């Protein structure tokens, strides 16, 4: 609801649909970049520790070196940023179907 209110206020003071779309996409990319960095900062140390412990127990005490999954991480990035782009465009298109007055009335 607060997002709708914010967007309707911005549109009422002259923000164009293209500018609104650009703002939503940039904000979404920031969220996606933060999610990616958080997954690296939290997930990588956990993965290294789990790999070490599992290899100790599975290979009679021998530790297998951890290999970073570059291909899988690339796919994750494509899906993450692709979904963000689709959701941002979908949100703006959905809001553009309503008139500005209807959006402002619905928020109250």
């Amino acid at each position: 609801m607060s997002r709708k209110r914010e967007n309707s206020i911005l549109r009422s003071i002259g923000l164009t649909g293209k500018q609104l779309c650009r703002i939503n996409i940039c904000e979404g990319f920031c969220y996606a970049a933060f999610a990616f960095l958080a997954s690296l900062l939290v997930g990588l140390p956990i993965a290294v520790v789990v790999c070490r412990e599992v290899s100790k127990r599975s290979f009679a005490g021998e530790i297998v070196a951890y290999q970073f999954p570059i291909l899988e991480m690339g796919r994750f990035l494509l899906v993450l940023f692709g979904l963000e782009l689709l959701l941002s465009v979908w949100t703006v298109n959905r809001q553009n179907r309503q008139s500005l007055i209807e959006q402002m009335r619905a928020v109250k």
Side-chain angles (χ1 to χ4, degrees):
M1 292 302 272
S2 65
R3 181 59 145 175
K4 259 188 174 180
R5 180 181 301 133
E6 179 184 322
N7 287 343
S8 62
I9 290 171
L10 289 171
R11 286 184 60 206
S12 71
I13 60 173
L15 192 73
T16 66
K18 189 175 183 179
Q19 291 170 329
L20 182 62
C21 188
R22 190 178 311 142
I23 286 172
N24 283 335
I25 289 172
C26 288
E27 182 180 10
F29 277 165
C30 289
Y31 287 140
F34 178 75
F36 173 69
L37 289 175
S39 68
L40 276 180
L41 292 175
V42 172
L44 190 59
I46 291 172
V48 170
V49 169
V50 168
C51 178
R52 183 181 306 137
E53 293 303 316
V54 168
S55 67
K56 271 192 229 177
R57 294 179 186 172
S58 299
F59 298 110
E62 185 178 328
I63 296 177
V64 176
Y66 175 75
Q67 293 180 346
F68 185 78
I70 294 172
L71 183 61
E72 290 80 6
M73 191 56 73
R75 289 179 186 158
F76 169 69
L77 279 175
L78 284 175
V79 169
L80 182 68
F81 284 97
L83 282 175
E84 184 285 319
L85 181 64
L86 287 173
L87 288 173
S88 294
V89 170
W90 177 75
T91 301
V92 171
N93 285 338
R94 193 183 73 196
Q95 286 180 349
N96 286 339
R97 282 188 224 137
Q98 287 183 326
S99 72
L100 183 57
I101 302 301
E102 288 174 356
Q103 286 181 18
M104 293 181 98
R105 283 185 186 156
V107 170
K108 291 182 182 179

